[in-house]
Short mmCIF file of all heavy atoms in Angstrom, two decimals:
data_model
loop_
_atom_site.label_atom_id
_atom_site.label_comp_id
_atom_site.label_asym_id
_atom_site.label_seq_id
_atom_site.Cartn_x
_atom_site.Cartn_y
_atom_site.Cartn_z
N CYS A 77 103.46 -222.08 28.67
CA CYS A 77 104.26 -221.14 27.80
C CYS A 77 103.42 -220.05 27.17
O CYS A 77 102.39 -220.39 26.59
CB CYS A 77 104.95 -221.99 26.77
SG CYS A 77 105.74 -223.45 27.43
N PRO A 78 103.83 -218.83 27.31
CA PRO A 78 103.12 -217.68 26.60
C PRO A 78 103.28 -217.90 25.05
O PRO A 78 104.18 -218.53 24.55
CB PRO A 78 103.91 -216.45 27.07
CG PRO A 78 105.12 -216.91 27.71
CD PRO A 78 105.05 -218.33 28.05
N LEU A 79 102.24 -217.41 24.41
CA LEU A 79 102.13 -217.64 22.92
C LEU A 79 103.13 -216.64 22.16
O LEU A 79 102.67 -215.72 21.43
CB LEU A 79 100.77 -217.46 22.44
CG LEU A 79 99.69 -218.38 23.15
CD1 LEU A 79 98.38 -218.36 22.52
CD2 LEU A 79 100.18 -219.83 23.24
N THR A 80 104.42 -216.80 22.42
CA THR A 80 105.41 -215.92 21.85
C THR A 80 105.99 -216.47 20.52
O THR A 80 105.75 -217.65 20.10
CB THR A 80 106.59 -215.84 22.78
OG1 THR A 80 107.17 -217.04 23.00
CG2 THR A 80 106.17 -215.18 24.11
N VAL A 81 106.79 -215.67 19.84
CA VAL A 81 107.36 -215.99 18.65
C VAL A 81 108.34 -217.20 18.84
O VAL A 81 108.40 -218.18 18.08
CB VAL A 81 108.19 -214.78 18.02
CG1 VAL A 81 109.13 -215.22 16.92
CG2 VAL A 81 107.12 -213.76 17.54
N GLU A 82 109.12 -217.11 19.92
CA GLU A 82 110.10 -218.17 20.31
C GLU A 82 109.35 -219.55 20.49
O GLU A 82 109.79 -220.54 20.02
CB GLU A 82 110.90 -217.85 21.52
CG GLU A 82 111.78 -216.67 21.39
CD GLU A 82 111.09 -215.32 21.22
OE1 GLU A 82 110.01 -215.18 21.84
OE2 GLU A 82 111.63 -214.44 20.56
N ASN A 83 108.28 -219.52 21.23
CA ASN A 83 107.55 -220.75 21.45
C ASN A 83 106.86 -221.28 20.20
O ASN A 83 106.71 -222.46 19.99
CB ASN A 83 106.52 -220.58 22.62
CG ASN A 83 107.24 -220.54 24.00
OD1 ASN A 83 108.27 -221.23 24.13
ND2 ASN A 83 106.74 -219.79 24.92
N ALA A 84 106.46 -220.37 19.33
CA ALA A 84 105.95 -220.76 18.10
C ALA A 84 106.97 -221.49 17.22
O ALA A 84 106.72 -222.46 16.64
CB ALA A 84 105.38 -219.57 17.25
N ARG A 85 108.25 -221.03 17.24
CA ARG A 85 109.30 -221.63 16.50
C ARG A 85 109.67 -223.02 17.12
O ARG A 85 109.99 -223.99 16.39
CB ARG A 85 110.54 -220.72 16.53
CG ARG A 85 110.31 -219.46 15.69
CD ARG A 85 111.48 -218.73 15.31
NE ARG A 85 111.14 -217.55 14.38
CZ ARG A 85 111.59 -216.34 14.56
NH1 ARG A 85 112.42 -216.06 15.52
NH2 ARG A 85 111.13 -215.33 13.78
N ALA A 86 109.57 -223.11 18.41
CA ALA A 86 109.80 -224.45 19.07
C ALA A 86 108.68 -225.39 18.56
O ALA A 86 108.96 -226.57 18.35
CB ALA A 86 109.86 -224.30 20.57
N LEU A 87 107.53 -224.87 18.48
CA LEU A 87 106.38 -225.70 18.01
C LEU A 87 106.51 -226.17 16.64
O LEU A 87 106.20 -227.29 16.26
CB LEU A 87 105.07 -224.92 18.31
CG LEU A 87 103.77 -225.85 18.19
CD1 LEU A 87 103.78 -226.87 19.33
CD2 LEU A 87 102.58 -224.87 18.35
N HIS A 88 106.98 -225.24 15.73
CA HIS A 88 107.30 -225.59 14.35
C HIS A 88 108.26 -226.84 14.23
O HIS A 88 108.02 -227.74 13.44
CB HIS A 88 107.97 -224.47 13.57
CG HIS A 88 107.11 -223.24 13.39
ND1 HIS A 88 107.63 -221.99 13.07
CD2 HIS A 88 105.73 -223.17 13.42
CE1 HIS A 88 106.66 -221.12 12.93
NE2 HIS A 88 105.48 -221.81 13.17
N GLU A 89 109.25 -226.84 15.16
CA GLU A 89 110.16 -227.92 15.19
C GLU A 89 109.50 -229.29 15.67
O GLU A 89 109.73 -230.31 15.01
CB GLU A 89 111.32 -227.66 16.11
CG GLU A 89 112.27 -226.55 15.72
CD GLU A 89 112.89 -226.78 14.29
OE1 GLU A 89 113.30 -227.90 14.02
OE2 GLU A 89 112.99 -225.82 13.52
N LEU A 90 108.67 -229.13 16.67
CA LEU A 90 108.05 -230.31 17.16
C LEU A 90 106.94 -230.84 16.29
O LEU A 90 106.86 -232.13 16.11
CB LEU A 90 107.42 -229.94 18.61
CG LEU A 90 106.83 -231.16 19.39
CD1 LEU A 90 107.98 -232.09 19.82
CD2 LEU A 90 106.05 -230.63 20.57
N LEU A 91 106.06 -229.91 15.77
CA LEU A 91 104.95 -230.30 14.99
C LEU A 91 104.99 -229.53 13.60
O LEU A 91 104.49 -228.46 13.53
CB LEU A 91 103.61 -230.09 15.64
CG LEU A 91 103.48 -230.67 17.07
CD1 LEU A 91 102.15 -230.13 17.74
CD2 LEU A 91 103.27 -232.27 16.85
N PRO A 92 105.68 -230.07 12.68
CA PRO A 92 105.99 -229.35 11.43
C PRO A 92 104.73 -228.76 10.64
O PRO A 92 104.81 -227.88 10.00
CB PRO A 92 106.68 -230.37 10.54
CG PRO A 92 107.36 -231.33 11.48
CD PRO A 92 106.36 -231.37 12.64
N TYR A 93 103.57 -229.45 10.91
CA TYR A 93 102.29 -228.82 10.23
C TYR A 93 101.91 -227.47 10.72
O TYR A 93 101.07 -226.85 10.13
CB TYR A 93 101.19 -229.82 10.37
CG TYR A 93 100.63 -230.06 11.78
CD1 TYR A 93 99.72 -229.17 12.26
CD2 TYR A 93 101.02 -231.12 12.56
CE1 TYR A 93 99.17 -229.31 13.61
CE2 TYR A 93 100.57 -231.31 13.79
CZ TYR A 93 99.65 -230.38 14.36
OH TYR A 93 99.21 -230.55 15.61
N THR A 94 102.49 -227.06 11.88
CA THR A 94 102.12 -225.72 12.41
C THR A 94 102.91 -224.67 11.72
O THR A 94 102.69 -223.42 11.98
CB THR A 94 102.34 -225.59 13.99
OG1 THR A 94 103.74 -225.90 14.21
CG2 THR A 94 101.61 -226.68 14.70
N ARG A 95 103.89 -225.06 10.91
CA ARG A 95 104.73 -224.05 10.20
C ARG A 95 104.16 -223.74 8.84
O ARG A 95 103.63 -224.57 8.15
CB ARG A 95 106.08 -224.74 9.99
CG ARG A 95 107.14 -223.94 9.29
CD ARG A 95 108.20 -224.85 8.76
NE ARG A 95 108.93 -225.68 9.73
CZ ARG A 95 110.08 -225.36 10.36
NH1 ARG A 95 110.59 -224.17 10.19
NH2 ARG A 95 110.58 -226.17 11.29
N PRO A 96 104.19 -222.46 8.48
CA PRO A 96 103.67 -222.10 7.16
C PRO A 96 104.48 -222.72 5.99
O PRO A 96 105.71 -222.88 6.14
CB PRO A 96 103.75 -220.60 7.04
CG PRO A 96 104.76 -220.17 8.11
CD PRO A 96 104.71 -221.17 9.09
N ARG A 97 103.82 -222.98 4.91
CA ARG A 97 104.46 -223.65 3.82
C ARG A 97 103.94 -223.02 2.44
O ARG A 97 102.77 -222.53 2.39
CB ARG A 97 104.07 -225.15 3.70
CG ARG A 97 104.96 -225.98 4.65
CD ARG A 97 104.64 -227.44 4.47
NE ARG A 97 103.55 -227.87 5.23
CZ ARG A 97 102.45 -228.60 4.80
NH1 ARG A 97 102.42 -228.99 3.53
NH2 ARG A 97 101.52 -229.03 5.58
#
Side-chain angles (χ1 to χ4, degrees):
C77 312
L79 305 187
T80 59
V81 168
E82 291 69 30
N83 285 326
R85 292 195 177 132
L87 196 60
H88 293 162
E89 294 299 319
L90 185 70
L91 302 170
Y93 67 83
T94 63
R95 179 201 299 271
R97 278 186 274 133

